[in-house]
Structure formats: structure tokens, C-alpha cells
Amino acid sequence: MNSVIIKTNLVCKSYVTDGEVNNVIKNLSLEIYKDDFTVIMGSSGSGKSTLLYLLSGMDSITSGEVFLNYKNITKCKENEMAATRKDKIGFVFQGINLIPDLTIRENILSPTYKKKMNKLIIDKKIDNLLDQMDLSEHQKKFPSQLSGGQRQRAAICRALINEPDILFADEPTGALNSQAGESVLDIFTKIHEKGQSVVMVTHDLKAAVRGNRIIFLRDGRIDGELRLNDYENSTAKKREAVLYDFLMERGW
Ligand SMILES: Nc1ncnc2c1ncn2[C@@H]1O[C@H](COP(=O)(O)OP(=O)(O)OP(=O)(O)O)[C@@H](O)[C@H]1O
Ligand SMILES: [Mg+2]
């Protein structure tokens, strides 16, 4: 059974700038399922990044409720929330935000620093990740010495080092050329096949069809969703065509 991993109930998020209130997310109720690779699409400014921050507990909501594994995270204290994020959530940001003064290895290890974990186990985990992502030979370099694709793969390693239940990614291929983008997407496909939940924001059709559930956001509200066929029963081209029609119907 495809169980619910995140549920939101009438969530609102507003920003106040110069005394003016901007309601960015409006009474949004949504369920995210554990076995899905969920994709959030919508035009620029529709609230995709904001929604991803709310779903992952990275930002606080203005009103409503967010449940992670049936636990109401809206009521969590900040230190409790920080621990939950570290344990359960990996986040790949829009625009790669590695720490410039740390090496690639140190960047990837940074989420483990405050955890009581056996160093040998962590070393083994990071060595595996570096190997899988083809980064072993770059681990002692600094972010500025790597290509965009390598930096993005390092950011993904950092998001995966604590083996999160859910991986969130905001436009993970946005800054990459198509070849580097494909290799990053292959990693997401593998993660999903291994049984981890993935929630990704993208504006790229090729990236979106890696998912199986597409949610379309318009002006802070959900304006339709689409379930794509299993990979076994359809080609990427067919999936792209179905998604393209769905998006065109919404004036994308
Ligand atoms: N920290 C903030 N303070 C004030 N307004 C904000 C803040 N963050 C986002 N907004 C506003 O909220 C709206 C939605 O922003 P958001 O970043 O979620 O859009 P998006 O769908 O991710 O867009 P894009 O595709 O360009 O990344 C925008 O109008 C933006 O200006
Ligand atoms: Mg965004």
C-alpha cells in the first residue's frame, strides 16, 4: 500500500514586505505518498520553492497543519524540528549551496557532525556515496574547483548522507547542461527505485517525467495533478507527450 508520508491541512504562507501582505500559499491541502516520486510544477512565482520549504519543515507556516509520518510538525519546537530534519529529510536547494571554505568531503559530512554516529560507519557511507556519484577523486577539492554537475552531485551526497526518508530537491537540474542534468536525474531515479520518497520541483519536462505524480501549482493553489504510467508500460517520449498535454491545458 502506498502510505501517506506527508499531509498538509489548509496550509497558508504569507510574507509581509513593506507592510504589504503577500499570500503565497493559500489553504493548501495535500497528501504526499511514500512510494511516489512526486514532482511539483508551475510558473515562476507560483510558490513551488515556498511549498517545498513548508513540506520539509525548513520554513514555518502562517496557518494550517503539516504532518510528517503522522506527526504534527507545526507544533514542534525548533530544536526538535532540527533533529527531525537531520534524521528524516534531505534537501537539495535551488542553486547549489555548498559551503565554499569546506572541501567536498567536509561539505558532505557536515550534516553528520552533531550526530552520535560511529566514525567508521560514516566513513564507509561517504566513501560509497562518493564512489556512486563519481566524486572520489574530487573529495579533497573545494566547491569552486568543481564543475556545476559535480557540485550538484556533491549537494545530493550531502542530502543523502543521513539516509533520509524523503529527499526534497528544488530545480536540481536548473543550473546544469543536459548531460550533467541526465546524470543527476539518473541518481534520483535510483533513489526512488531503492524505496526512498522523492519530492522535486522542476520546470523541465525531461526531469518531470522521471516522476510518477505531477502536481501543478498556480498562484499558491493546486491546479490539477497527473499520474504517469509505470516506466515498464510507457516510453519517456510517451510520458513527455502526456505531461505536455496536461501542462498545455493549464496554459503553462
Ligand atoms: N522570503 C520571502 N520574502 C518575501 N516574499 C517571498 C519570500 N520568498 C518568496 N517570496 C515570494 O513568494 C512568491 C513565490 O515564491 P517562490 O520562490 O515560492 O516561487 P517559485 O514558484 O519557486 O518560483 P521560481 O520558479 O522562480 O523558482 C514570489 O512572489 C516571491 O516573491
Ligand atoms: Mg523556486
Side-chain angles (χ1 to χ4, degrees), residues 6-246:
I6 303 175
K7 181 179 162 59
T8 74
N9 187 21
L10 296 172
V11 160
C12 294
K13 176 72 180 180
S14 311
Y15 292 108
V16 182
T17 317
D18 298 331
E20 224 169 85
V21 182
N22 183 7
N23 298 312
V24 176
I25 299 292
K26 297 164 184 162
N27 283 327
L28 192 141
S29 296
L30 170 69
E31 287 177 342
I32 302 284
Y33 301 95
K34 184 176 177 308
D35 295 342
D36 283 344
F37 182 153
T38 307
V39 174
I40 300 170
M41 299 187 85
S43 57
S44 180
S46 57
K48 304 181 297 296
S49 296
T50 305
L51 178 60
L52 215 59
Y53 273 68
L54 301 180
L55 292 177
S56 57
M58 303 275 285
D59 199 358
S60 62
I61 60 177
T62 305
S63 63
E65 292 167 310
V66 180
F67 298 86
L68 172 64
N69 283 328
Y70 300 98
K71 184 180 174 182
N72 188 344
I73 59 170
T74 337
K75 300 230 162 83
C76 282
K77 299 213 170 67
E78 182 41 42
N79 57 351
E80 198 186 343
M81 195 54 233
T84 303
R85 274 199 301 268
K86 234 173 216 175
D87 271 352
K88 310 233 181 278
I89 283 162
F91 206 106
V92 179
F93 295 89
Q94 182 171 22
I96 307 154
N97 74 336
L98 296 170
I99 302 163
D101 300 338
L102 297 183
T103 66
I104 293 304
R105 190 179 180 91
E106 289 163 348
N107 261 286
I108 298 170
L109 283 175
S110 60
T112 69
Y113 285 159
K114 280 191 181 157
K115 290 190 82 169
K116 291 190 189 86
M117 280 170 83
N118 183 309
K119 187 169 178 316
L120 285 175
I121 293 175
I122 290 183
D123 277 342
K124 191 154 182 258
K125 265 208 295 200
I126 187 170
D127 288 340
N128 275 338
L129 276 172
L130 286 165
D131 187 40
Q132 277 171 40
M133 307 274 187
D134 227 0
L135 286 171
S136 300
E137 60 179 298
H138 303 294
Q139 57 180 301
K140 292 194 178 129
K141 294 183 185 167
F142 292 93
S144 62
Q145 297 169 306
L146 264 57
S147 74
Q150 289 163 342
R151 279 203 291 265
Q152 189 58 295
R153 296 205 300 280
I156 295 170
C157 289
R158 183 179 57 184
L160 292 176
I161 189 76
N162 284 336
E163 295 176 13
D165 294 346
I166 316 171
L167 180 68
F168 291 93
D170 195 356
E171 300 276 11
T173 59
L176 306 179
N177 66 31
S178 65
Q179 199 193 346
E182 284 298 313
S183 82
V184 161
L185 291 169
D186 288 343
I187 295 161
F188 282 84
T189 298
K190 263 193 214 138
I191 292 166
H192 179 228
E193 281 170 358
K194 262 178 49 196
Q196 267 167 298
S197 317
V198 180
V199 183
M200 175 176 78
V201 168
T202 188
H203 63 266
D204 176 5
L205 234 59
K206 278 206 161 46
V209 294
R210 298 297 184 113
N212 65 307
R213 182 189 185 203
I214 317 289
I215 292 166
F216 192 83
L217 208 61
R218 181 197 302 281
D219 200 15
R221 292 191 176 92
I222 294 172
D223 179 23
E225 70 164 87
L226 174 71
R227 278 208 172 262
L228 291 168
N229 288 333
D230 295 339
Y231 279 90
E232 296 90 73
N233 301 323
S234 89
T235 61
K237 276 257 164 311
K238 274 192 204 159
R239 295 156 69 88
E240 271 178 46
V242 172
L243 177 58
Y244 185 80
D245 287 346
F246 169 82

